[in-house]
Amino acid sequence: MTVLVADANTRRARALSDDLRADPSLRVLSVPAGTALIDAVRQHHPDVVLVDMGRADRDALDSIRALTQPALERPVALFVDRDDVDLMETAFDIGICSYNVLEAPPDDVKPLLRAAIALYSRFKRTRGELTEAQRKLAEQKRIDQAKRLFMKTENTTEDQAYRWLRRRAMQESRRIAAVAADYLAAHGQGDES
């Protein structure tokens, strides 16, 4: 597992990195001074990013927010030295999957990193399921709109309207939702989903 350690305090970052390097199963990299976090992630493609902040603030979280881009998205574990509910909620909103309040890094950080990766995987899977459900709902809405319009313009029943959409989709080897969207667009209805 490759771990990227990001901490503006070089002494603290070195101590944490040294603790992690004691485990031969971990490849530990540090963000060099003067290098942006996003650039380090692009360069090293870590499995997890560990951000240790003595006094985490919203400005510091902005650099982490950039990691929510699909090409860079990585699980991020955040270590702070004081409890701040607003900061914690902001951190979770931007995609941090492990928020840990510790005065000093624990001797064994691996369980926290594994938990961060597991939570990240679960979040990503749930987000994918939500996106798919929203896509299906939008498609069904489009189909229903097209059926209503077809029923109105052709003076047919709902069943006849659906059969027409389905037959056209089969003839064109396309999805019914795509045919419905084209039908709506051809009649000036556009995409209202």
Side-chain angles (χ1 to χ4, degrees), residues 115-188:
I117 291 171
L119 286 169
Y120 167 79
S121 296
R122 185 176 199 177
F123 169 76
K124 196 170 180 178
R125 184 174 60 248
T126 301
R127 187 176 54 194
E129 291 168 357
L130 176 62
T131 300
E132 179 62 14
Q134 290 170 330
R135 184 191 64 76
K136 286 180 179 179
L137 188 60
E139 283 185 353
Q140 188 59 51
K141 182 178 176 183
R142 222 172 282 123
I143 293 167
D144 290 344
Q145 283 179 271
K147 285 192 304 188
R148 283 192 300 274
L149 181 61
F150 188 86
M151 289 164 53
K152 182 178 176 183
T153 57
E154 302 297 324
N155 196 25
T156 65
T157 66
E158 182 177 359
D159 189 47
Q160 290 169 322
Y162 183 74
R163 281 198 314 258
W164 181 86
L165 287 169
R166 187 178 62 203
R167 185 174 47 250
R168 185 115 184 228
M170 289 170 57
Q171 289 169 348
E172 297 175 8
S173 297
R174 297 173 63 210
R175 296 172 54 84
I176 294 176
V179 171
D182 287 351
Y183 183 79
L184 290 169
H187 289 84

Side-chain angles (χ1 to χ4, degrees), residues 22-159:
D23 182 338
S25 69
L26 299 177
R27 178 174 171 242
V28 182
L29 305 168
S30 297
V31 177
T35 303
L37 177 60
I38 194 166
D39 292 335
V41 170
R42 276 189 187 118
Q43 180 182 356
H44 300 294
H45 305 286
D47 296 304
V48 64
V49 178
L50 193 149
V51 180
D52 192 5
M53 299 179 181
R55 295 272 181 241
D57 59 26
R58 279 154 189 82
D59 290 336
L61 293 176
D62 283 342
S63 64
I64 297 168
R65 186 183 315 270
L67 298 181
T68 60
Q69 299 172 22
L72 297 173
E73 196 172 32
R74 297 289 186 277
V76 177
L78 177 65
F79 290 82
V80 295
D81 66 356
R82 64 187 165 95
D83 192 14
D84 180 337
V85 174
D86 291 337
L87 179 65
M88 179 177 60
E89 291 197 13
T90 300
F92 285 132
D93 285 345
I94 67 166
I96 287 175
C97 51
S98 179
Y99 181 93
N100 308 280
V101 181
L102 304 165
E103 288 185 19
D107 291 334
D108 188 4
V109 180
K110 286 183 301 181
L112 295 173
L113 296 179
R114 282 194 296 271
I117 291 171
L119 286 169
Y120 167 79
S121 296
R122 185 176 199 177
F123 169 76
K124 196 170 180 178
R125 184 174 60 248
T126 301
R127 187 176 54 194
E129 291 168 357
L130 176 62
T131 300
E132 179 62 14
Q134 290 170 330
R135 184 191 64 76
K136 286 180 179 179
L137 188 60
E139 283 185 353
Q140 188 59 51
K141 182 178 176 183
R142 222 172 282 123
I143 293 167
D144 290 344
Q145 283 179 271
K147 285 192 304 188
R148 283 192 300 274
L149 181 61
F150 188 86
M151 289 164 53
K152 182 178 176 183
T153 57
E154 302 297 324
N155 196 25
T156 65
T157 66
E158 182 177 359
D159 189 47

